[in-house]
Amino acid sequence: MQHWHVYRKWNAKLFKEMRAAYHAGRIGTDPATFWYEGEIGFFDNYVIPLAKKLKDCNVFGVSSHEYLAYAVKNRDEWADRGKELTEELVAETS
């Protein structure tokens, strides 16, 4: 529900934090094994439905439309570029 560059910034920070936790033995699964698919699921099952509900109840006025549009656009962008971006994050944290 934010611009692509903002989403990417925080997505990368979370990945790096989780990868460091994995390397330190604080989590049992390497996020590299599920990151791309996990983000698709996050958009499809949480972000986009939430944005639709916000739009339907018009809680943020005209911005509600924008949030939904950003969510859908970011999901599409992630579907197109997410595997490549995940590979870059893996390389940065190896």
Side-chain angles (χ1 to χ4, degrees), residues 7-19:
Y7 163 73
R8 281 283 300 123
K9 172 185 171 180
W10 293 106
N11 176 273
K13 287 181 180 290
L14 179 59
F15 180 88
K16 290 174 183 178
E17 181 179 333
M18 290 182 69
R19 194 92 196 275

Side-chain angles (χ1 to χ4, degrees), residues 13-35 93:
K13 287 181 180 290
L14 179 59
F15 180 88
K16 290 174 183 178
E17 181 179 333
M18 290 182 69
R19 194 92 196 275
Y22 171 72
H23 287 296
R26 293 191 313 267
I27 60 173
T29 305
D30 185 350
T33 63
F34 62 81
W35 201 254
T93 56

